[in-house]
Amino acid sequence: MRILWVKAGRLLPVDTGGKIRSFNLLRQLAARHEVTLLSYYGGAVDEEYESELRRELPGAEAVCTGAPEGSALAQGLHYLSRLPRPAPYAVTKFTSPVVRRLVENWLGDGRFDVAVCDFLSASLNFPRRLATPSVLFQHNVESALWRRQARHEPNPLKRAAFKMEAAKMSAYERAAVARFHHVIAVSEHDRGLMSEMTDAARITVVPTGVDLGLYRAAFDGSGAEPDGPASPLVVFLGSMDWEANVDGVDYFCRDIWPSVLARVPRARFRIVGRNPHPRVQRLASESVEVTGTVPSVVEHLREAAVFVVPLRVGGGTRLKIFEAMAAGKAVVSTTVGAEGLEVTHGRDVLLADDAASFADAVVTLLTDGGRRRELERAAAELAARHDWSAVVGRFEGALLKAIDAARTEGVTAGAVARELNV
């Protein structure tokens, strides 16, 4: 197959869940098919990024749109300029006339068998009439994510903005899911939510994968022993400028960690991830470490006794859980944090949705080495079944379904786009 893959924002460095998922699937597909990645980004021209992208994914094309990046003032003004539009800002922010023309030309001359719109953010750059079979790759159900963020946002102004964006996203996402020839979800849970927007037969689940070769390097079959010389270490991993992660570690440090520390005084909590928000930086203390960007997360996973995912907001699936499991680590998560993953409470993960239960689970794993090792072994066995090389076949199947749908259904986007006036 000749595949065009359109992605908003820089793909490199591969330091977020969405980038990890896209990068690994692109690598797997490129080994089997002719793949062209179109990566477009804002700010100034970044020749180093463009060169590195072509080294990692030969044939990739990069376009600098010059969209505002950086200062909060510039981003705020950009948001206000897009506010009257019916489509949500999370989409209009990544819409570019240059990219729209390029995608329309490429899809119009028949050079590709199928196109992939990676995330909803790139969707308005696709032409109204989808002459080329096209797939919407939904890493999250965006409307559900925005509603959760609005529910948990403490700042009244931001909460009001999130509610407005959630309403816009609900209408836009429903139309976009119906617009493309086929849709890829990352979990059965997300497929269920999107089935309320379109026929479930038009949605394929491509589960989350993991680079086993990378994370097995951290697996030695047992975590740090609480009664050994090292402090029992609890680790959270994620992009620390993402609202769901900021809320999660804030909740953990405020409502859960004091109870853990009272029962395991030598315990330490390490927050690993890029661009820590000021709210995250303020969590640093004698027992809490905030690392910021790290060259590799493998060493931090190797040192962890327990891996936690205390998320209350979010969508899609968390790659960080399978990464920790592939490294042979015991995981404690909220139900939201493990949403959509094929995990079983008590066997390969511990799930807890209130602060007291979450703290109890962490303490149990820090103090009971036998129970922790049981969970570690089960987690590693589960992760071993989800290497990206096994996952990519499901993605290929979804692309073939889009090609079949384009032939038999003649699905177009014109009516939907006119209805939304976008």
Side-chain angles (χ1 to χ4, degrees):
M1 280 186 287
R2 298 167 301 168
I3 304 168
L4 172 64
W5 187 298
V6 181
K7 180 168 183 60
R10 292 172 171 84
L11 180 61
L12 306 177
V14 185
D15 55 4
T16 68
K19 291 180 181 181
I20 292 168
R21 187 181 285 113
S22 297
F23 180 77
N24 281 282
L25 286 168
L26 279 162
R27 281 201 309 174
Q28 294 291 333
L29 288 169
R32 310 172 185 222
H33 306 281
E34 183 182 328
V35 180
T36 299
L37 166 67
L38 173 58
S39 168
Y40 66 97
Y41 62 96
V45 173
D46 189 340
E47 294 182 356
E48 183 178 348
Y49 165 70
E50 296 186 10
S51 297
E52 185 181 2
L53 184 70
R54 295 187 182 100
R55 284 195 300 271
E56 292 286 349
L57 295 165
E61 295 286 344
V63 173
C64 177
T65 66
E69 286 186 345
S71 75
L73 177 60
Q75 301 240 8
L77 292 173
H78 193 244
Y79 174 73
L80 291 174
S81 72
R82 305 282 172 120
L83 193 58
R85 302 191 184 189
Y89 181 64
V91 175
T92 61
K93 175 183 179 181
F94 296 102
T95 302
S96 161
V98 173
V99 177
R100 290 180 79 159
R101 286 193 297 271
L102 185 58
V103 172
E104 186 169 8
N105 290 339
W106 282 1
L107 296 185
D109 63 14
R111 73 172 73 178
F112 296 102
D113 299 309
V114 64
V116 177
C117 177
D118 189 356
F119 273 94
L120 200 63
S121 53
S123 59
L124 277 182
N125 293 302
F126 278 68
R128 292 187 174 190
R129 179 178 176 83
L130 295 172
T132 297
S134 300
V135 172
L136 176 62
F137 185 13
Q138 283 277 69
H139 298 244
N140 307 296
V141 179
E142 294 290 336
S143 52
L145 187 153
W146 280 94
R147 285 193 296 269
R148 281 177 176 167
Q149 288 195 170
R151 189 162 59 246
H152 290 285
E153 173 55 49
N155 183 299
L157 289 176
K158 291 181 70 175
R159 185 164 61 248
F162 286 166
K163 285 182 177 179
M164 181 175 61
E165 290 300 313
K168 285 185 175 184
M169 184 63 78
S170 293
Y172 181 83
E173 187 168 35
R174 180 176 294 274
V177 165
R179 170 187 176 189
F180 284 80
H181 295 104
H182 202 73
V183 179
I184 293 176
V186 297
S187 72
E188 287 293 344
H189 178 269
D190 282 10
R191 183 174 184 264
L193 292 177
M194 283 187 283
S195 295
E196 299 174 3
M197 307 176 193
T198 190
D199 182 356
R202 301 183 59 250
I203 307 169
T204 293
V205 174
V206 177
T208 288
V210 65
D211 186 341
L212 287 178
L214 174 63
Y215 291 99
R216 273 182 170 166
F219 182 44
D220 62 4
S222 64
E225 291 299 329
D227 55 354
S231 296
L233 181 64
V234 178
V235 169
F236 175 88
L237 167 65
S239 301
M240 296 319 305
D241 54 356
W242 190 45
E243 189 65 35
N245 289 340
V246 174
D247 175 81
V249 296
D250 184 60
Y251 162 63
F252 183 83
C253 289
R254 183 184 65 248
D255 296 345
I256 299 169
W257 186 240
S259 179
V260 174
L261 205 57
R263 288 178 278 176
V264 188
R266 292 191 299 113
R268 296 296 177 265
F269 179 44
R270 183 180 296 167
I271 301 169
V272 181
R274 65 169 193 158
N275 301 335
H277 189 277
R279 281 173 61 193
V280 177
Q281 294 176 5
R282 288 194 291 269
L283 298 174
S285 67
E286 184 178 344
S287 66
V288 178
E289 177 187 1
V290 179
T291 69
T293 302
V294 297
S296 171
V297 301
V298 173
E299 187 61 36
H300 297 280
L301 286 174
R302 182 180 291 116
E303 294 176 1
V306 178
F307 188 86
V308 294
V309 189
L311 297 192
R312 304 184 296 175
V313 179
T317 56
R318 255 58 61 191
L319 283 83
K320 59 173 70 75
I321 288 185
F322 272 174
E323 291 170 352
M325 287 180 163
K329 296 302 170 181
V331 177
V332 181
S333 176
T334 57
T335 302
V336 169
E339 197 170 69
L341 297 178
E342 299 172 357
V343 297
T344 303
H345 171 61
R347 185 178 69 190
D348 42 49
V349 70
L350 296 184
L351 300 178
D353 287 325
D354 64 85
S357 298
F358 204 110
D360 289 344
V362 173
V363 170
T364 294
L365 295 177
L366 288 177
T367 57
D368 186 342
R371 179 70 180 111
R372 186 177 64 253
R373 283 187 288 274
E374 286 177 2
L375 217 63
E376 289 170 346
R377 285 191 290 269
E381 289 171 4
L382 176 63
R385 301 197 294 269
H386 289 81
D387 188 72
W388 287 113
S389 61
V391 169
V392 70
R394 300 273 287 272
F395 202 97
E396 289 172 321
L399 299 183
L400 292 173
K401 288 180 181 178
I403 293 172
D404 288 341
R407 291 194 188 115
T408 60
E409 297 175 14
V411 176
T412 64
V416 170
R418 285 192 297 273
E419 180 182 342
L420 284 174
N421 190 30
V422 295

